[in-house]
């Protein structure tokens, strides 16, 4: 097989098990599970190769018209796609509408027209330049959610480009008529909305990550997805049989007979277990000695409420609210936010919904959050820091949350708290917001629980002081691990060092747990650490009351909780705390509770 340089590099960086036969390529597990099937390559042309030429002054107006016509055609295509979306996929419409709006976005549309005129260049060249510039801004962002919004710009550019050049996609994605595994560079929401999704066994994409549209769709469909697989389209051939392991984030090409047998077995075992666990998923997560725990869902979109309920969640432990701020070039209005939160609260009632206030990245170049450039945005003006600096944006969200709280069981949570002063400042703005609503004679529910995320090490260390001002702590291990171990959570090169069972992390959680117990503050965990059944024994020993996670993980975490007695966990925890490395801790969990995991999907 002839490998491109890029692919060779990709394979070298990955695990090359047997070059002549079986190849394992690693990526990011975007949706768990295993599938075995035929690959279907979505061969969409990108905007990489475009014609470039200079124009005479006399041709400029006609060129701008040509560009405008291409955008008008692209808009018409989007409208046709939107009109053809079957009602069961209507939840995706907002993404398509966003793309339609993006087509005419000032930064893309006006700038391209200006670029044609100012530089006297053809429309394709101007569009490519403008699009690349916008995408660079997104690519530079450290938060994966925003980084992936650059893909939206790429999809829109691609559509205009095809209308300019007259190139149509090489195959009709909507015509897929057999069960396949889709392989694509990236899948736009417009494309996924045209696929008959029940035909898709799994997804493999070269771009994207855990928060990209493909991941969200795959998780909702409960099919495996592996993303960020460099060179996938080059190395995987259409119609070849491949294995996708979304749990491990691996794609196996040219699988040997042994691997096929092994994975078929794994798949049927895990499907059997999942079905079995789903049967019990709505049952309470009570330990054999009667400790009542809660297992909740994390969501980013209103549409994910269905999955949360289907998987038997006891509520929503984390509603990440950034999405509505990213779907438009304008800030969402109070009423738009209110309607969204009200619907989530209402659908979940009487179960609790924990709405986290805006955790916007500190990178001020981001669309509506324009501002100065930051060298290290993850340590910059992010989340609560941004909100405290822009109280008008923060208060609009708080008003919406307080109003929605009338319609359900809503809790309020502040992200990225690093010291007591920030809680006091946030709570002061909350009180002011309640007064404003009273003065405006707008009805709301001000009697809601207020908590903070513990995701900055200083917050964990100061948790005894923090406890005086909040109703609950929710430990965000994704960031807590990143900040405590100095491991960029999105960097593949150090991913192996991102270890939830690191002794330092366990000690930080213990510190928080002791403060919570002493001050009678409820203790939750909503970072990914809570989603892995293997972590459950230690988290039970550390006194976590509520576990919140991606919805498909709920049944297996509940199942493990039901099998572990919280009595006599002291010696187990003492032993864990004596260990010097994550490996030693893993061994102790394995030695003590290993039998339980044989029957659990991880
Ligand atoms: C976390 O940091 O653990 C968390 C849940 O928040 P996010 O992943 O949204 O940063
Ligand atoms: Mg976080």
């Amino acid at each position: 097989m002839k490998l491109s340089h890029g692919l060779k590099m990709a394979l070298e960086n990955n695990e090359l098990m047997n070059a002549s036969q079986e190849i394992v390529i690693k990526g990011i597990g975007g949706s768990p599970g295993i599938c075995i099937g035929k690959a279907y390559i979505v061969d969409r042309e990108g905007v990489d190769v475009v014609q470039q030429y200079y124009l005479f002054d006399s041709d400029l107006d006609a060129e701008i018209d040509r560009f405008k016509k291409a955008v008008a055609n692209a808009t018409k295509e989007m409208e046709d796609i939107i009109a053809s979306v079957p009602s069961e996929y209507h939840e995706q419409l907002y993404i398509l509408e966003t793309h339609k709006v993006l087509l005419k976005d000032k930064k893309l549309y006006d700038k391209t027209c200006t670029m044609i005129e100012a530089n006297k260049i053809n429309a394709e060249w101007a569009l490519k330049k403008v699009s690349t510039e916008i995408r660079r801004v997104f690519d530079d962002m450290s938060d994966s959610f925003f980084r992936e919004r650059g893909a939206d710009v790429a999809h829109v550019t691609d559509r205009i480009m095809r209308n300019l050049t007259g190139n149509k996609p090489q195959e009709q994605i909507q015509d897929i008529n057999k069960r396949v595994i889709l392989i694509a560079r990236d899948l736009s929401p417009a494309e996924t909305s045209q696929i008959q999704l029940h035909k898709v066994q799994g997804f493999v994409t070269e771009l994207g990550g855990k928060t990209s549209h493909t991941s969200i769709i795959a998780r909702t469909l409960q099919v495996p997805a592996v993303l960020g697989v460099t060179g996938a389209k080059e190395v995987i051939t259409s119609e070849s049989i491949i294995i996708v392991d979304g749990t491990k984030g691996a794609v196996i090409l040219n699988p040997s007979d042994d691997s096929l047998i092994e994975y078929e077995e794994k798949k049927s075992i895990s499907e059997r277990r999942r079905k079995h666990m789903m049967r019990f998923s709505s049952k309470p997560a009570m330990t054999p000695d009667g400790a009542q725990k809660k297992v909740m869902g994390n969501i980013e979109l209103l549409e994910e409420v269905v999955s949360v309920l289907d998987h038997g969640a006891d509520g929503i432990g984390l509603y990440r609210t950034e999405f509505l701020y990213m779907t438009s070039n304008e800030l969402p209005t109070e009423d738009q936010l209110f309607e969204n939160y009200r619907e989530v609260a209402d659908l979940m009632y009487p179960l609790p919904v924990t709405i986290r206030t805006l955790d916007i990245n500190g990178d001020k170049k981001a669309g509506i959050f324009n501002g100065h450039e930051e060298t290290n945005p993850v340590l910059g003006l992010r989340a609560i820091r941004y909100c405290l600096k822009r109280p008008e944006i923060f208060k609009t969200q708080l008003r919406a949350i307080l109003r929605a709280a009338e319609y359900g069981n809503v809790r309020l949570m502040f992200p990225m708290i690093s010291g007591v002063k920030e809680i006091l400042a946030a709570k002061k703005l909350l009180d002011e917001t309640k007064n404003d609503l009273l003065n405006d004679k707008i009805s709301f529910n001000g009697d809601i629980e207020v908590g903070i995320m513990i995701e900055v090490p200083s917050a964990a260390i100061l948790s005894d002081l923090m406890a005086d001002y909040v109703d609950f702590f929710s430990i965000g291990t994704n960031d807590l691990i990143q900040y405590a171990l100095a491991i960029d959570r999105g960097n593949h090169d150090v991913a192996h060092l991102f270890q939830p069972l690191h002794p330092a992390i366990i000690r930080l959680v213990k510190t928080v747990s002791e403060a919570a117990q002493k001050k009678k503050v409820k203790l939750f965990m909503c970072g990914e650490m809570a989603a892995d059944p293997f972590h459950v024994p230690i988290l039970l020993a550390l006194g976590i009351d509520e576990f919140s996670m991606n919805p498909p993980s709920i049944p297996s975490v509940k199942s493990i909780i039901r099998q572990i007695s919280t009595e006599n966990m002291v010696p187990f925890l003492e032993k864990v705390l004596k260990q010097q490395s994550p490996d030693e801790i893993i061994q102790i969990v394995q030695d003590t509770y290993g039998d339980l995991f044989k029957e659990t999907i991880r």
Side-chain angles (χ1 to χ4, degrees):
M1 180 173 20
K2 196 164 169 279
L3 301 181
S4 71
H5 177 66
L7 184 58
K8 268 191 205 147
M9 295 274 291
L11 291 175
E12 273 159 21
N13 286 336
N14 279 294
E15 193 179 320
L16 194 58
M17 289 179 66
N18 182 340
S20 62
Q21 298 169 16
E22 188 170 278
I23 299 172
V24 179
I25 318 181
K26 284 198 178 149
I28 299 161
S31 175
I34 291 167
C35 69
I36 303 170
K38 277 192 179 169
Y40 181 97
I41 316 284
V42 179
D43 200 4
R44 180 164 51 82
E45 271 303 304
V47 294
D48 297 347
V49 185
V50 300
Q51 271 200 314
Q52 301 182 352
Y53 48 86
Y54 289 98
L55 300 164
F56 293 115
D57 280 348
S58 55
D59 293 333
L60 292 177
D61 283 349
E63 189 65 2
I64 290 171
D65 279 352
R66 191 170 73 87
F67 172 69
K68 288 185 175 170
K69 216 164 159 191
V71 174
N73 287 342
T75 308
K76 172 80 179 58
E77 281 175 14
M78 284 306 297
E79 282 165 357
D80 290 348
I81 292 171
I82 289 168
S84 70
V85 172
S87 56
E88 64 264 39
Y89 301 132
H90 265 185
E91 69 267 20
Q92 289 176 30
L93 277 185
Y94 68 96
I95 304 174
L96 303 180
E97 296 284 2
T98 308
H99 280 197
K100 202 179 109 189
V101 173
L102 258 181
L103 285 164
K104 282 277 181 65
D105 182 89
K106 269 192 180 155
K107 290 206 173 71
L108 191 71
Y109 186 84
D110 293 359
K111 264 194 157 177
T112 305
C113 294
T114 314
M115 175 81 73
I116 295 172
E117 196 161 22
N119 293 5
K120 300 187 193 346
I121 56 175
N122 67 316
E124 289 88 340
W125 192 2
L127 175 62
K128 185 178 177 186
K129 269 172 172 283
V130 171
S131 161
T132 308
E133 188 52 40
I134 300 173
R135 286 173 61 195
R136 189 170 299 137
V137 171
F138 280 103
D139 286 350
D140 283 350
M141 295 180 190
S142 58
D143 186 300
S144 59
F145 178 84
F146 296 127
R147 234 174 12 240
E148 284 155 16
R149 301 291 72 81
D152 294 330
V153 178
H155 294 310
V156 167
T157 306
D158 196 27
R159 188 167 290 280
I160 304 174
M161 198 65 88
R162 273 195 266 111
N163 275 286
L164 277 171
T165 57
N167 286 343
K168 291 287 163 203
Q170 288 172 5
E171 81 300 291
Q172 296 299 312
I173 198 168
Q174 62 269 40
D175 293 340
I176 299 172
N177 59 5
K178 52 196 174 203
R179 294 268 294 156
V180 290
I181 300 171
L182 285 190
I183 318 293
R185 181 152 190 273
D186 194 11
L187 282 169
S188 74
E191 283 164 328
T192 40
S193 72
Q194 292 174 74
I195 304 168
Q196 303 176 55
L197 291 170
H198 57 280
K199 297 263 166 67
V200 179
Q201 278 184 275
F203 295 94
V204 178
T205 63
E206 295 181 346
L207 304 181
K210 278 190 193 293
T211 56
S212 64
H213 301 305
T214 311
S215 288
I216 293 170
I217 285 160
R219 287 199 295 266
T220 311
L221 293 171
Q222 290 179 53
V223 298
V226 181
L227 296 97
V229 181
T230 320
K233 273 181 66 188
E234 267 186 85
V235 77
I236 303 174
T237 32
S238 228
E239 300 279 312
S240 63
I241 299 286
I242 61 168
I243 301 173
V244 177
D245 185 341
T247 312
K248 288 199 173 143
V251 183
I252 300 162
L253 318 183
N254 313 323
S256 64
D257 287 351
D258 285 351
S259 290
L260 283 170
I261 292 167
E262 182 195 327
Y263 272 91
E264 276 293 356
E265 261 169 28
K266 271 192 190 172
K267 185 170 168 262
S268 68
I269 291 171
S270 95
E271 273 165 12
R272 228 177 28 240
R273 283 187 192 145
R274 186 168 292 284
K275 274 193 194 136
H276 177 74
M277 273 180 215
M278 281 298 279
R279 282 190 16 231
F280 300 101
S281 65
S282 56
K283 297 229 173 324
M286 189 187 284
T287 65
D289 55 317
Q292 181 65 65
K293 302 290 170 180
K294 298 273 181 221
V295 183
M296 322 275 278
N298 291 351
I299 63 165
E300 274 137 45
L301 307 171
L302 160 68
E303 290 74 19
E304 288 173 296
V305 168
V306 180
S307 176
V308 166
L309 292 171
D310 280 355
H311 287 93
D314 299 312
I316 291 176
L318 169 63
Y319 181 12
R320 295 182 167 103
T321 58
E322 291 74 50
F323 203 79
L324 279 182
Y325 292 79
M326 295 309 298
T327 48
S328 157
N329 282 334
E330 283 168 18
L331 286 166
T333 64
E334 178 186 322
D335 280 348
Q336 283 169 338
L337 296 172
F338 161 67
E339 282 303 333
N340 181 284
Y341 304 156
R342 184 190 59 74
E343 209 170 333
V344 176
D346 187 32
L347 287 168
M348 290 299 296
Y349 187 77
L351 300 174
V353 175
T354 316
I355 304 182
R356 181 179 73 182
T357 58
L358 195 55
D359 183 12
I360 203 82
N361 192 298
D363 191 331
K364 311 305 286 170
K365 292 180 291 182
I368 47 171
F369 298 99
N370 273 333
H372 68 281
E373 208 169 294
E374 292 186 298
T375 332
N376 207 338
V378 178
L379 304 179
L381 203 57
R382 179 187 166 185
I384 198 70
R385 301 171 184 181
Y386 182 84
C387 288
L388 293 178
K389 187 126 183 174
R390 296 291 304 270
E392 73 288 1
I393 293 179
F394 190 40
K395 279 183 166 182
T396 302
Q397 189 182 31
L398 292 176
R399 282 172 73 100
I401 296 171
L402 290 168
R403 287 173 59 195
E406 276 211 302
Y407 297 83
N409 181 359
V410 170
R411 300 161 172 173
L412 177 66
M413 179 159 76
F414 300 126
M416 270 286 279
I417 295 286
S418 61
V420 172
K421 257 186 156 177
E422 279 166 347
I423 307 180
L424 297 179
K427 288 186 77 171
K428 183 164 173 279
L429 289 172
L430 179 63
D431 286 342
E432 285 175 20
T433 308
K434 289 180 189 172
N435 278 332
D436 292 347
L437 284 167
L438 273 178
N439 291 336
D440 296 344
K441 300 197 175 24
I442 295 176
S443 62
F444 67 98
N445 178 6
D447 189 21
I448 57 176
E449 291 187 350
V450 177
I452 56 168
M453 289 200 63
I454 302 279
E455 51 184 348
V456 179
S458 63
I461 293 162
L462 297 176
S463 50
D464 58 329
L465 302 179
M466 306 272 195
D468 292 334
Y469 305 99
V470 296
D471 299 305
F472 63 88
F473 290 144
S474 187
I475 303 176
T477 50
N478 307 341
D479 277 313
L480 186 63
I481 297 170
Q482 156 162 275
Y483 293 131
L485 303 183
I487 303 298
D488 176 350
R489 61 192 259 192
N491 184 340
H492 279 198
D493 296 336
V494 287
H496 62 289
L497 298 172
F498 192 91
Q499 292 161 316
L501 295 183
H502 193 290
I505 300 303
I506 291 172
R507 275 156 205 251
L508 282 173
V509 175
K510 182 167 171 279
T511 304
V512 182
S513 166
E514 283 167 357
Q517 265 173 29
K518 197 163 142 210
K519 301 273 172 93
K520 304 216 171 344
V521 163
K522 293 180 199 161
L523 183 61
F524 312 152
M525 178 174 282
C526 63
E528 282 298 306
M529 180 175 185
D532 189 336
F534 194 80
H535 299 150
V536 168
I538 292 186
L539 298 181
L540 285 175
L542 287 167
I544 302 289
D545 299 314
E546 261 184 36
F547 300 65
S548 195
M549 61 203 64
N550 63 78
S553 297
I554 292 170
S556 42
V557 169
K558 272 192 163 183
S559 155
I560 287 290
I561 292 175
R562 286 195 210 102
Q563 298 175 65
I564 297 179
S565 177
T566 52
E567 286 170 329
N568 305 323
M569 282 201 115
V570 175
F572 167 67
L573 188 59
E574 275 173 359
K575 216 164 160 187
V576 166
L577 288 166
K578 281 190 190 131
Q579 307 310 311
Q580 297 179 357
S581 72
D583 288 349
E584 289 163 350
I585 295 173
I586 289 168
Q587 195 56 53
I588 287 178
V589 177
Q590 188 60 40
D591 292 347
T592 320
Y593 294 100
D595 285 349
L596 297 182
F597 306 116
K598 283 190 196 142
E599 292 300 317
T600 309
I601 312 160
R602 287 191 64 200

